[in-house]
Amino acid sequence: MSFGSARDRVITVEVETGGALRDLRIEESALRLGPQELSKRILGLIERATAQASRRLELDDAESLGLGTSPELAEAAEETTPETWRVQ
């Protein structure tokens, strides 16, 4: 399973793939931001961490298939896919 994390100066989040929150750390100074700003920052960091986890999952899947991250290898694998298997 892939994880993602993001932080700013006073908030750190860690999520699982799909955005499930694993960890949230808020420094005391973040409480001075006010409820709207604090929630806005937390949600933004969760969004960034989720995107990171998704990218990692895609890379992990590609590597497990032996494709690595090389576009040439991915294209070569695509060329071996029979036409009857392709989505039209």
Side-chain angles (χ1 to χ4, degrees), residues 7 9 12 25 32-33 35 37 48-49 53 56 88:
R7 67 168 301 163
R9 293 176 314 223
T12 303
R25 296 176 189 206
R32 294 187 205 112
L33 296 171
E37 181 63 22
R48 284 181 24 211
R56 285 183 176 163
Q88 302 293 327

PDB file of all heavy atoms in Angstrom, residues 7 9 12 25 32-33 35 37 48-49 53 56 88:
ATOM      1  N   ARG A   7       3.178  18.732   4.121  1.00  0.00           N
ATOM      2  CA  ARG A   7       3.260  19.576   5.308  1.00  0.00           C
ATOM      3  C   ARG A   7       3.484  21.015   4.900  1.00  0.00           C
ATOM      4  O   ARG A   7       3.940  21.308   3.809  1.00  0.00           O
ATOM      5  CB  ARG A   7       4.359  19.096   6.243  1.00  0.00           C
ATOM      6  CG  ARG A   7       5.774  19.242   5.704  1.00  0.00           C
ATOM      7  CD  ARG A   7       6.803  19.016   6.766  1.00  0.00           C
ATOM      8  NE  ARG A   7       6.511  20.011   7.780  1.00  0.00           N
ATOM      9  CZ  ARG A   7       6.935  20.009   9.035  1.00  0.00           C
ATOM     10  NH1 ARG A   7       7.712  19.083   9.449  1.00  0.00           N
ATOM     11  NH2 ARG A   7       6.615  20.932   9.885  1.00  0.00           N
ATOM     12  N   ARG A   9       4.383  24.801   7.336  1.00  0.00           N
ATOM     13  CA  ARG A   9       5.200  25.112   8.514  1.00  0.00           C
ATOM     14  C   ARG A   9       4.617  24.565   9.808  1.00  0.00           C
ATOM     15  O   ARG A   9       5.361  24.260  10.740  1.00  0.00           O
ATOM     16  CB  ARG A   9       5.368  26.624   8.642  1.00  0.00           C
ATOM     17  CG  ARG A   9       6.188  27.234   7.529  1.00  0.00           C
ATOM     18  CD  ARG A   9       6.220  28.726   7.687  1.00  0.00           C
ATOM     19  NE  ARG A   9       4.855  29.171   7.975  1.00  0.00           N
ATOM     20  CZ  ARG A   9       4.270  30.217   7.442  1.00  0.00           C
ATOM     21  NH1 ARG A   9       4.911  30.969   6.621  1.00  0.00           N
ATOM     22  NH2 ARG A   9       3.029  30.530   7.739  1.00  0.00           N
ATOM     23  N   THR A  12       1.149  18.801   9.465  1.00  0.00           N
ATOM     24  CA  THR A  12       1.653  17.660   8.704  1.00  0.00           C
ATOM     25  C   THR A  12       0.539  16.628   8.604  1.00  0.00           C
ATOM     26  O   THR A  12      -0.130  16.332   9.595  1.00  0.00           O
ATOM     27  CB  THR A  12       2.870  17.011   9.404  1.00  0.00           C
ATOM     28  OG1 THR A  12       3.872  18.005   9.587  1.00  0.00           O
ATOM     29  CG2 THR A  12       3.430  15.874   8.582  1.00  0.00           C
ATOM     30  N   ARG A  25      -0.801  16.044  12.310  1.00  0.00           N
ATOM     31  CA  ARG A  25      -0.067  16.732  13.378  1.00  0.00           C
ATOM     32  C   ARG A  25      -0.232  18.233  13.196  1.00  0.00           C
ATOM     33  O   ARG A  25       0.036  18.772  12.120  1.00  0.00           O
ATOM     34  CB  ARG A  25       1.411  16.362  13.343  1.00  0.00           C
ATOM     35  CG  ARG A  25       1.597  14.895  13.626  1.00  0.00           C
ATOM     36  CD  ARG A  25       3.012  14.481  13.502  1.00  0.00           C
ATOM     37  NE  ARG A  25       3.055  13.027  13.576  1.00  0.00           N
ATOM     38  CZ  ARG A  25       4.080  12.346  13.981  1.00  0.00           C
ATOM     39  NH1 ARG A  25       5.174  12.958  14.352  1.00  0.00           N
ATOM     40  NH2 ARG A  25       4.033  11.038  14.016  1.00  0.00           N
ATOM     41  N   ARG A  32      -3.689  29.524  15.978  1.00  0.00           N
ATOM     42  CA  ARG A  32      -3.904  30.969  15.804  1.00  0.00           C
ATOM     43  C   ARG A  32      -4.443  31.318  14.417  1.00  0.00           C
ATOM     44  O   ARG A  32      -4.820  32.452  14.165  1.00  0.00           O
ATOM     45  CB  ARG A  32      -2.588  31.720  16.034  1.00  0.00           C
ATOM     46  CG  ARG A  32      -2.101  31.624  17.456  1.00  0.00           C
ATOM     47  CD  ARG A  32      -0.878  32.524  17.673  1.00  0.00           C
ATOM     48  NE  ARG A  32      -0.109  31.982  18.771  1.00  0.00           N
ATOM     49  CZ  ARG A  32       1.097  31.433  18.677  1.00  0.00           C
ATOM     50  NH1 ARG A  32       1.717  31.393  17.517  1.00  0.00           N
ATOM     51  NH2 ARG A  32       1.702  30.945  19.725  1.00  0.00           N
ATOM     52  N   LEU A  33      -4.468  30.358  13.522  1.00  0.00           N
ATOM     53  CA  LEU A  33      -4.936  30.607  12.156  1.00  0.00           C
ATOM     54  C   LEU A  33      -6.441  30.850  12.095  1.00  0.00           C
ATOM     55  O   LEU A  33      -6.926  31.441  11.143  1.00  0.00           O
ATOM     56  CB  LEU A  33      -4.588  29.423  11.250  1.00  0.00           C
ATOM     57  CG  LEU A  33      -3.108  29.148  11.034  1.00  0.00           C
ATOM     58  CD1 LEU A  33      -2.927  27.826  10.301  1.00  0.00           C
ATOM     59  CD2 LEU A  33      -2.465  30.283  10.265  1.00  0.00           C
ATOM     60  N   PRO A  35     -10.433  28.883  12.656  1.00  0.00           N
ATOM     61  CA  PRO A  35     -11.008  27.621  12.181  1.00  0.00           C
ATOM     62  C   PRO A  35     -11.094  27.496  10.661  1.00  0.00           C
ATOM     63  O   PRO A  35     -10.800  26.431  10.113  1.00  0.00           O
ATOM     64  CB  PRO A  35     -12.396  27.572  12.816  1.00  0.00           C
ATOM     65  CG  PRO A  35     -12.634  28.900  13.424  1.00  0.00           C
ATOM     66  CD  PRO A  35     -11.333  29.618  13.521  1.00  0.00           C
ATOM     67  N   GLU A  37      -9.270  29.030   8.208  1.00  0.00           N
ATOM     68  CA  GLU A  37      -7.944  28.904   7.598  1.00  0.00           C
ATOM     69  C   GLU A  37      -7.309  27.566   7.949  1.00  0.00           C
ATOM     70  O   GLU A  37      -6.694  26.923   7.101  1.00  0.00           O
ATOM     71  CB  GLU A  37      -7.029  30.059   8.026  1.00  0.00           C
ATOM     72  CG  GLU A  37      -5.648  30.014   7.410  1.00  0.00           C
ATOM     73  CD  GLU A  37      -5.628  30.140   5.891  1.00  0.00           C
ATOM     74  OE1 GLU A  37      -6.590  30.672   5.302  1.00  0.00           O
ATOM     75  OE2 GLU A  37      -4.638  29.699   5.293  1.00  0.00           O
ATOM     76  N   ARG A  48      -2.941  17.225  -1.486  1.00  0.00           N
ATOM     77  CA  ARG A  48      -1.575  17.054  -2.012  1.00  0.00           C
ATOM     78  C   ARG A  48      -1.019  15.679  -1.648  1.00  0.00           C
ATOM     79  O   ARG A  48      -0.403  15.008  -2.485  1.00  0.00           O
ATOM     80  CB  ARG A  48      -0.647  18.136  -1.465  1.00  0.00           C
ATOM     81  CG  ARG A  48      -0.855  19.467  -2.136  1.00  0.00           C
ATOM     82  CD  ARG A  48       0.054  20.585  -1.665  1.00  0.00           C
ATOM     83  NE  ARG A  48       1.307  20.211  -1.081  1.00  0.00           N
ATOM     84  CZ  ARG A  48       1.939  20.904  -0.139  1.00  0.00           C
ATOM     85  NH1 ARG A  48       1.398  22.014   0.331  1.00  0.00           N
ATOM     86  NH2 ARG A  48       3.102  20.519   0.332  1.00  0.00           N
ATOM     87  N   ALA A  49      -1.229  15.259  -0.410  1.00  0.00           N
ATOM     88  CA  ALA A  49      -0.719  13.962   0.031  1.00  0.00           C
ATOM     89  C   ALA A  49      -1.406  12.815  -0.708  1.00  0.00           C
ATOM     90  O   ALA A  49      -0.772  11.817  -1.050  1.00  0.00           O
ATOM     91  CB  ALA A  49      -0.900  13.810   1.542  1.00  0.00           C
ATOM     92  N   ALA A  53       0.330   9.919  -2.965  1.00  0.00           N
ATOM     93  CA  ALA A  53       0.108   8.488  -2.743  1.00  0.00           C
ATOM     94  C   ALA A  53      -0.355   7.810  -4.025  1.00  0.00           C
ATOM     95  O   ALA A  53       0.079   6.693  -4.333  1.00  0.00           O
ATOM     96  CB  ALA A  53      -0.908   8.274  -1.628  1.00  0.00           C
ATOM     97  N   ARG A  56       2.600   7.359  -6.347  1.00  0.00           N
ATOM     98  CA  ARG A  56       3.448   6.265  -5.869  1.00  0.00           C
ATOM     99  C   ARG A  56       2.827   4.911  -6.190  1.00  0.00           C
ATOM    100  O   ARG A  56       3.527   3.978  -6.559  1.00  0.00           O
ATOM    101  CB  ARG A  56       3.680   6.388  -4.372  1.00  0.00           C
ATOM    102  CG  ARG A  56       4.653   7.477  -4.030  1.00  0.00           C
ATOM    103  CD  ARG A  56       4.916   7.509  -2.555  1.00  0.00           C
ATOM    104  NE  ARG A  56       5.923   8.514  -2.264  1.00  0.00           N
ATOM    105  CZ  ARG A  56       6.141   9.017  -1.077  1.00  0.00           C
ATOM    106  NH1 ARG A  56       5.440   8.600  -0.044  1.00  0.00           N
ATOM    107  NH2 ARG A  56       7.064   9.928  -0.899  1.00  0.00           N
ATOM    108  N   GLN A  88     -12.363   0.043 -26.998  1.00  0.00           N
ATOM    109  CA  GLN A  88     -12.628   0.957 -28.118  1.00  0.00           C
ATOM    110  C   GLN A  88     -13.479   2.108 -27.692  1.00  0.00           C
ATOM    111  O   GLN A  88     -14.304   2.062 -26.905  1.00  0.00           O
ATOM    112  CB  GLN A  88     -13.322   0.214 -29.254  1.00  0.00           C
ATOM    113  CG  GLN A  88     -12.504  -0.949 -29.757  1.00  0.00           C
ATOM    114  CD  GLN A  88     -11.212  -0.536 -30.451  1.00  0.00           C
ATOM    115  OE1 GLN A  88     -11.156   0.497 -31.093  1.00  0.00           O
ATOM    116  NE2 GLN A  88     -10.173  -1.316 -30.283  1.00  0.00           N
TER     117      GLN A  88
END
